[in-house]
Amino acid sequence: MGGCAFLSSGIWILREHFGTVANLDKMSGSWDGSYDPGSQSDDSHLFERMHIEPIYDTFVCPLTKQVMRDPVTLENGQTFEREAIEKWFKECKESGRKFVCPLTLKELKSTDLKPSIALRNTIEEWNARNEAVQLDMARRSLNLNSSESDVLLALKFVQHICQKSRSNKHIARSAGLIPMIIDMLKSSRRKVRCRALETLRIVVEDNDDNKDIFAEGDTVRSIVKLLSHEQSKEREEAVSLLYELSKTEALCEKIGAINGAILMLVGMTSSNSENILTVEKADKTLENLGKCENNVRQMAENGRLQPLLTQILEGPPETKLAMANFLGELVLDNEVKVFVVRTVGSSLINLMRSGNMQSREAALKALNQVSCEASAKELIEAGILPPLVRDLFAVGTNQLPMRLKEVSATILANVVNSGYDFESIPVGSDHQSLVSEDVVHSLLHLISNTGPAIECKLLQVLVGLTSSPSTVQNVVAAIKSSGATISLVQFIEAPQKDLRLASIKLLQKLSPHMGQELTDALRGTVGQLGSLIRVISENVGITEEQAAAIGLLAELPERDLGLTRQMLDEGAFQLVYTRIVKIRQGETKGGRYVTPFLEGLVRVLSMVTFVLADEPAAIELCRVNNLASLFVELLQTNGLDSVQMNSATALENLSQESKNLTRLPDLPSPGFCASIFPCLSKQPVISGLCQVHRGTCSLRESFCLLEGHVVEKLVALLDHTNEKVAEAALAAISTLLDDGVDIEQGVKVLCEAEGIRPILDVLLEKRTENLRRRAVWAVERLLRTDEIAYEVSGDPNVSTALVDAFQHADYRTRQIAEHALKHVDRLPNFSGVFPNMG
């Protein structure tokens, strides 16, 4: 019979037994991909019923009606499939029946089974002849021009014979079927591609020789491409095949070398859309691929770090070194850094302690990469501080080169920014801590005697240590005792931006605790103050350096006349005013630093209002730029408490000067008669004068709050949630009741602004001692007006608050409370518990 006849008759036989392709697909859905010689699965026996040669009755087991694989004969000469007759005897025994022949039903004397070797050999030869013809038919059907049903049927038959016997996988290879099946991956039909992937997996299972074929050409690349297909079934079959191939080390390298393969597999393991079997197979495939170092590196780059970390923990020394070096090159987010430190932090620290310079370098670079604020606690508890400090300060033959000392300093800077309690951690042989005086002195010495890169990192270490309230005082004391203030200030002029930023940030942290020392250093002739001002003036948006520079200036003593005069001379206040205006007009974009920058600018600008009485140039600056009006606008910057507080304080200072700056009217001198007889003189009435300051006032020229319509805005801030804002607002309001102004008219102004009740409420709330002190002072001034005293006398809450202040406040406030209680007749006027106030 010719080949075509074999092909056509074979296809007819296949269709005869399977019916439609749909039925075949339905059957294949339950195919479990494994071969069990004792299995009686429908698929395997359907293929066994596809014969080219006729079947003989003696081949068929009377019990299973299937061609026998292991025929055995009973004592009566009847032959059965071994598994079937053993099952029959088992059922007889369990039911208590006698052992009988299933065909004759006659009792058997013995259940011994005699292998029918001749019959088994005949069946095997018969099967081999049939399978050879069927394989030939399958081979002829495996081409891209065949119909889908023919290809699917042929692939299913290859699966069947390979699962039937492992030796048949050799036959499939010898028959040249594997390259033909691989070609089916190029089919445009999804079902064919899926079936081809499934068949290839079965063909290569537990057969390294068949896997070797995949090492040639672009076969593995074609399989990897199918990982990205939309159909989940295709992805599932592709990853299952890759899993089988990945059991061979040579193919592990081949798979890993394909661009995107590991990335797609890693993506599958973390996908919520893949079915669980696909995820498991992808995970197992990656485990196999992890046998190659290059693959481990790729996995780490794509977010699967565990294989790399396992190598650091368990690998041989050279592998540990290589993996630590690679870890030092990875870019990781903070959450991953914490995971890495928890896993291998101690191992890396131990590697850093070794005497081998290569190991120390690899460990330092890896620790540098994983150190951050989030992982600092884990690193500290793993014991990183003592070896880090030792490496930084060590001198001699075993000391680190300067480039690695810079890495050590960087790690230390990352760690100290966590705000940990560094006083409790010993870092030296004498149990010194990181903030012990001699350790800080050593850091300062290194800063003064190394290059810019390491200086920058060491300054960042000090920035971290001064950021914690528990350690800042130790650092301040050590800096003062070392006399390093001037040296630190000089870094403001460094040409390296990072170094300059670190120094300014450090000085900003120090300024609340050593403001006068820093002021004296900045006012020197070297020009660091001018350098700070130049940083602020840079028109490059708003940078972290500018925010730190203005923050440093804002913390310096505001009443230092020499500093303020120098800032006036260098145009600092004019610059600050301009920057504020540009921010408010939207001309300067700030990003994340705009708020601290604006807060610093406002505080610095308010400094000029503290020297008005002593510096005419300050008054002129305020008038020319109408600073009072600007501070009124800033007073209404809701959400920026610091801006509101400093604006209110500036308005208080400006208002204090109003009584000195108001232009009093020129009154005509009295005539001769009036000078002798005063009863004959009458002062002329002059309209348009300020009722509080008794002269001609304006917000711009004399900084008058009344003429600037500021009182209502200040009153509105008295119930601010931030006590410091409320205190600053009350202090500004109190200037209208101060000595040197018309207090009665000041009270009238507050009545018109509906400010009396809010002031009384501040007294009643007693939120802070400073607020109570200011409220008692203001209330006593208000009670000098009889009408208000009369009304308040009927309010027991106010009287109780004044009594409480009279009994428990500081000495000066108790004096004032005594006078207030006299105004409301709670104390007799002849009472003199405290000496009279001046």
Side-chain angles (χ1 to χ4, degrees):
M1 184 181 291
C4 292
F6 265 119
L7 179 59
S8 59
S9 64
I11 295 299
W12 182 87
I13 292 168
L14 291 171
R15 285 177 174 160
E16 183 70 21
H17 285 284
F18 281 106
T20 64
V21 174
N23 290 335
L24 178 59
D25 288 337
K26 184 177 180 182
M27 290 186 292
S28 69
S30 62
W31 195 266
D32 66 2
S34 63
Y35 173 62
D36 178 2
S39 171
Q40 299 294 314
S41 71
D42 290 341
D43 281 340
S44 63
H45 288 291
L46 278 167
F47 279 112
E48 287 177 359
R49 290 198 294 271
M50 299 186 298
H51 312 302
I52 305 302
E53 291 187 24
I55 190 170
Y56 299 96
D57 291 340
T58 54
F59 291 1
V60 178
C61 174
L63 289 175
T64 65
K65 309 303 181 188
Q66 307 291 342
V67 175
M68 290 181 285
R69 292 190 180 93
D70 186 10
V72 292
T73 304
L74 303 181
E75 64 180 27
N76 64 359
Q78 297 294 330
T79 301
F80 300 91
E81 178 70 56
R82 180 187 291 275
E83 183 180 355
I85 192 62
E86 286 177 345
K87 183 179 179 184
W88 170 267
F89 287 154
K90 182 181 178 184
E91 290 174 354
C92 288
K93 182 179 180 179
E94 289 175 350
S95 62
R97 292 186 280 113
K98 295 179 179 179
F99 294 110
V100 297
C101 174
L103 287 181
T104 65
L105 299 180
K106 291 182 179 179
E107 186 176 353
L108 297 169
K109 294 179 182 179
S110 170
T111 58
D112 291 344
L113 304 176
K114 182 181 180 181
S116 183
I117 297 173
L119 178 59
R120 186 175 67 188
N121 291 340
T122 303
I123 292 172
E124 287 177 353
E125 290 171 2
W126 177 82
N127 274 329
R129 289 193 301 272
N130 278 291
E131 286 177 354
V133 176
Q134 290 164 345
L135 272 175
D136 183 63
M137 291 189 300
R139 189 175 61 80
R140 294 171 183 272
S141 297
L142 289 175
N143 66 76
L144 296 174
N145 295 322
S146 298
S147 67
E148 181 175 343
S149 59
D150 289 349
V151 175
L152 292 174
L153 218 51
L155 290 169
K156 197 65 183 177
F157 180 70
V158 175
Q159 293 180 18
H160 162 68
I161 63 166
C162 289
Q163 288 174 316
K164 184 177 180 181
S165 169
R166 290 186 179 181
S167 62
N168 285 347
K169 296 184 179 183
H170 169 74
I171 296 171
R173 181 175 72 256
S174 301
L177 286 173
I178 296 177
M180 300 176 76
I181 300 170
I182 290 171
D183 280 344
M184 294 302 101
L185 298 178
K186 301 173 184 175
S187 174
S188 60
R189 294 167 289 198
R190 181 182 60 81
K191 288 184 179 179
V192 171
R193 294 194 302 270
C194 283
R195 184 68 54 78
L197 288 165
E198 182 184 16
T199 306
L200 288 170
R201 172 178 56 79
I202 294 167
V203 168
V204 301
E205 279 177 340
D206 303 318
N207 193 302
D208 289 345
D209 291 335
N210 285 356
K211 289 176 184 176
D212 289 343
I213 296 174
F214 287 79
E216 304 166 2
D218 282 343
T219 303
V220 177
R221 186 183 300 277
S222 299
I223 300 168
V224 170
K225 282 177 63 177
L226 295 174
L227 291 176
S228 62
H229 279 211
E230 293 182 4
Q231 293 294 331
S232 60
K233 180 65 177 174
E234 237 174 318
R235 293 198 302 275
E236 180 182 343
E237 293 295 347
V239 77
S240 296
L241 175 54
L242 286 173
Y243 169 60
E244 288 300 325
L245 297 176
S246 67
K247 295 176 182 178
T248 302
E249 188 167 342
L251 285 170
C252 281
E253 294 180 1
K254 180 95 175 175
I255 294 169
I258 295 169
N259 186 34
I262 288 178
L263 174 59
M264 284 189 280
L265 287 168
V266 170
M268 283 181 165
T269 61
S270 58
S271 172
N272 294 324
S273 60
E274 300 288 354
N275 68 54
I276 190 167
L277 290 175
T278 302
V279 172
E280 288 177 357
K281 280 290 170 64
D283 194 61
K284 290 179 178 178
T285 304
L286 288 167
E287 285 181 19
N288 290 339
L289 295 179
K291 290 179 285 190
C292 302
E293 283 191 15
N294 286 336
N295 292 345
V296 170
R297 290 185 174 92
Q298 279 198 68
M299 290 181 210
E301 286 175 333
N302 291 300
R304 188 181 177 91
L305 284 165
Q306 192 58 57
L308 181 141
L309 303 182
T310 301
Q311 294 282 17
I312 292 175
L313 289 172
E314 303 172 4
E318 62 274 11
T319 302
K320 283 186 176 184
L321 183 61
M323 293 298 114
N325 269 317
F326 187 72
L327 179 59
E329 299 171 6
L330 291 177
V331 177
L332 308 171
D333 62 37
N334 285 349
E335 187 176 342
V336 175
K337 289 179 180 181
V338 173
F339 168 73
V340 171
V341 170
R342 286 175 180 168
T343 308
V344 298
S346 295
S347 296
L348 291 172
I349 291 169
N350 289 334
L351 200 61
M352 184 178 72
R353 288 192 178 104
S354 71
N356 181 282
M357 190 59 72
Q358 280 187 318
S359 298
R360 292 168 72 186
E361 180 172 356
L364 281 170
K365 288 182 177 178
L367 288 166
N368 180 37
Q369 204 63 19
V370 299
S371 61
C372 63
E373 188 174 335
S375 64
K377 183 175 182 291
E378 306 283 345
L379 285 169
I380 292 168
E381 292 175 356
I384 194 172
L385 288 180
L388 267 185
V389 174
R390 180 203 66 195
D391 284 346
L392 271 174
F393 299 154
V395 293
T397 55
N398 202 34
Q399 71 172 326
L400 289 177
M402 198 55 68
R403 60 184 177 82
L404 292 184
K405 285 198 174 190
E406 181 187 342
V407 178
S408 297
T410 304
I411 298 169
L412 189 57
N414 293 339
V415 168
V416 298
N417 280 318
S418 63
Y420 204 86
D421 180 17
F422 294 104
E423 284 186 284
S424 62
I425 304 171
V427 297
S429 56
D430 296 329
H431 303 287
Q432 308 103 315
S433 74
L434 203 55
V435 292
S436 296
E437 186 176 55
D438 53 348
V439 174
V440 177
H441 284 177
S442 297
L443 287 171
L444 293 169
H445 177 75
L446 268 180
I447 291 171
S448 300
N449 294 278
T450 53
I454 191 171
E455 286 171 346
C456 176
K457 299 304 178 184
L458 293 172
L459 285 171
Q460 289 174 7
V461 170
L462 293 178
V463 170
L465 293 175
T466 52
S467 298
S468 170
S470 63
T471 56
V472 62
Q473 292 297 345
N474 300 65
V475 179
V476 168
I479 290 173
K480 288 181 177 180
S481 65
S482 68
T485 306
I486 293 176
S487 298
L488 293 175
V489 168
Q490 288 174 350
F491 282 113
I492 293 175
E493 295 185 290
Q496 297 85 4
K497 188 171 182 179
D498 289 346
L499 179 57
R500 195 170 64 236
L501 170 61
S503 70
I504 293 173
K505 287 174 70 175
L506 173 60
L507 295 174
Q508 182 190 6
K509 298 289 185 183
L510 296 172
S511 55
H513 310 282
M514 46 190 302
Q516 194 57 57
E517 292 91 334
L518 292 178
T519 298
D520 294 341
L522 287 168
R523 285 176 54 199
T525 58
V526 183
Q528 285 89 3
L529 182 61
S531 297
L532 270 182
I533 295 169
R534 281 193 295 277
V535 168
I536 298 165
S537 68
E538 291 176 0
N539 193 17
V540 288
I542 298 173
T543 64
E544 183 182 13
E545 184 183 12
Q546 289 180 317
I550 199 67
L552 166 57
L553 285 177
E555 289 289 351
L556 300 179
E558 64 265 355
R559 298 185 185 277
D560 189 297
L561 183 59
L563 174 65
T564 306
R565 281 177 173 162
Q566 188 169 342
M567 290 175 67
L568 279 167
D569 293 341
E570 298 201 21
F573 294 114
Q574 186 65 51
L575 168 66
V576 167
Y577 166 77
T578 304
R579 301 279 343 225
I580 293 174
V581 171
K582 286 186 176 181
I583 290 174
R584 291 187 56 77
Q585 292 176 347
E587 295 179 23
T588 302
K589 304 300 179 183
R592 60 187 293 196
Y593 300 111
V594 64
T595 297
F597 189 58
L598 179 60
E599 289 175 341
L601 289 171
V602 173
R603 187 171 178 185
V604 169
L605 188 60
S606 71
M607 290 169 65
V608 77
T609 66
F610 284 89
V611 298
L612 296 174
D614 303 306
E615 185 54 58
I619 294 176
E620 184 62 21
L621 178 83
C622 293
R623 283 174 168 171
V624 168
N625 294 288
N626 198 6
L627 292 193
S629 179
L630 176 62
F631 284 123
V632 172
E633 292 176 22
L634 293 168
L635 200 63
Q636 302 165 80
T637 312
N638 294 325
L640 296 180
D641 294 0
S642 173
V643 170
Q644 290 181 300
M645 178 185 69
N646 286 304
S647 297
T649 299
L651 288 170
E652 175 198 2
N653 294 336
L654 290 166
S655 182
Q656 288 280 12
E657 285 301 303
S658 294
K659 57 180 177 284
N660 301 321
L661 299 176
T662 188
R663 190 158 51 83
L664 297 174
D666 295 325
L667 299 176
S669 56
F672 175 75
C673 295
S675 61
I676 298 175
F677 305 104
C679 59
L680 298 178
S681 68
K682 184 179 181 182
Q683 294 290 339
V685 177
I686 303 175
S687 61
L689 299 181
C690 172
Q691 60 193 93
V692 175
H693 301 116
R694 307 185 192 93
T696 302
C697 283
S698 71
L699 183 62
R700 183 179 194 124
E701 296 296 325
S702 63
F703 319 134
C704 177
L705 301 183
L706 177 59
E707 295 299 322
H709 307 289
V710 187
V711 180
E712 293 84 355
K713 298 177 178 65
L714 290 167
V715 168
L717 292 177
L718 291 178
D719 66 346
H720 199 284
T721 54
N722 187 325
E723 293 87 355
K724 291 184 177 180
V725 176
E727 183 184 337
L730 182 56
I733 289 170
S734 297
T735 60
L736 300 177
L737 305 173
D738 208 352
D739 296 333
V741 304
D742 192 323
I743 297 176
E744 186 177 345
Q745 289 299 316
V747 172
K748 182 179 178 183
V749 168
L750 288 174
C751 285
E752 292 170 353
E754 299 182 355
I756 305 299
R757 188 71 248 174
I759 294 173
L760 294 174
D761 288 341
V762 171
L763 173 66
L764 297 176
E765 290 168 4
K766 199 174 70 175
R767 287 191 280 174
T768 67
E769 196 57 41
N770 278 342
L771 260 179
R772 177 165 78 168
R773 177 175 55 80
R774 288 192 177 277
V776 169
W777 185 92
V779 167
E780 190 277 328
R781 295 287 168 132
L782 294 175
L783 294 178
R784 293 182 186 184
T785 302
D786 292 341
E787 293 178 3
I788 294 177
Y790 177 76
E791 288 187 25
V792 169
S793 64
D795 187 338
N797 293 326
V798 175
S799 298
T800 301
L802 288 170
V803 169
D804 184 69
F806 175 66
Q807 293 176 338
H808 302 111
D810 61 79
Y811 179 82
R812 175 65 175 164
T813 303
R814 281 186 285 167
Q815 277 188 315
I816 298 169
E818 178 189 2
H819 282 270
L821 287 169
K822 289 179 180 179
H823 294 320
V824 293
D825 296 331
R826 289 297 302 272
L827 285 174
N829 276 328
F830 57 81
S831 171
V833 176
F834 297 100
N836 287 334
M837 292 181 294

